Amino acid sequence: MSDRRGRVLILGLPYFGRRLAADLSSLGWRAEYLPHPGRSLPAWGRVAAAVARADIVYLIGSRLDRGSPQARLARVRRRPIVIHWVGTDVQIALDEHRRRNADARLAERAIHWCDAPWLAEELRAAGIRAEEVPLPIPVPEAEPPPLPPRFTVLLYYPVDAFDREVFDWETMARLPGAFPGVRFLLIPSPPETLPGPLPPNLEARGWVDDMDALYREITVLVRLTTHDGQSFMAAEALARGRYVIWTHPMPGAIQATGFEAVSEALRRLLERHAAGALGLNLDGRRRVLERFGGGAPLREIDERLRLLLPR
């Protein structure tokens, strides 16, 4: 394979897009991330000019409906378009397909990747063949810190109402009452955004800048979603030897859905902790480092993108 790299324009979700642009630039790509232009005509002009220059347009998250900018892009562009599906965007695309409003040209012409295997299964219902391609997740490879002396559970519940729609708040809200002696932390929603009053063993911290310090405080991450892509937090927690209870399957994590199953999984971990038998989740750490450590996902994306460049 040639070592040649070209110009890639990344559009879509800012958190992933900015990270990936920096990662690809470090390998020699002329990678640029541009945010959504909103209603700014000059900003749309900058995007159009960047699209024209790019060897590859790389969308992290996409729409599939006929009137979308992505559909218009597929009508005029002849060079490669990559769509990396990452979660809720798949649900929206499937809704458009069921309404018979999906753009066939975009579905057929783009190269489709997704960051979790269940997303590939879901996309098949819309006639889209997507390959699982993990996004790079910065997982620490240094020795993990010991588990905290006090058994502590981390919950994740976003602030935005749209994002909250796929989270099982009912189960999360019941857990502190079922485990009154356990410390619960909740991010990134501050107390005033939550139905109150909060139980005394639940601390809602809002936005956290230093996640590494937070992971040192916790024993287990509980992430409860009705729909999801690959969770960065799940990978980050596992890499630090923490336990993860998640609705979706992930090697090294515990899969559980609903209050009864999640409570039982927590209870088993708590019993081991009380008996002094709960050590670091070394199996979870090993598995996540095998998948995301050593820059493996970035190398895979780099190789795949180079294959798309004209010969």
Side-chain angles (χ1 to χ4, degrees), residues 157-160 164 169 186-195 198 203-207:
Y157 190 55
V159 178
D160 186 85
R164 283 182 173 183
W169 171 248
L186 184 145
I187 62 167
S189 294
E192 61 269 19
T193 70
L194 302 170
L198 300 181
E203 177 188 347
R205 291 191 175 178
W207 186 261

Side-chain angles (χ1 to χ4, degrees), residues 208-227:
V208 175
D209 290 318
D210 189 354
M211 286 298 296
D212 185 67
L214 180 63
Y215 287 126
R216 292 174 180 270
E217 292 187 56
I218 71 161
T219 311
V220 55
L221 164 68
V222 174
R223 182 178 176 93
L224 304 178
T225 52
T226 56
H227 192 270

Side-chain angles (χ1 to χ4, degrees), residues 18-51:
R18 291 191 178 99
R19 283 178 174 270
L20 187 57
D23 287 340
L24 290 175
S25 294
S26 72
L27 298 180
W29 288 91
R30 286 167 288 167
E32 178 183 19
Y33 171 78
L34 289 178
H36 193 284
R39 296 183 178 181
S40 168
L41 290 179
W44 277 107
R46 287 192 291 273
V47 169
V51 165

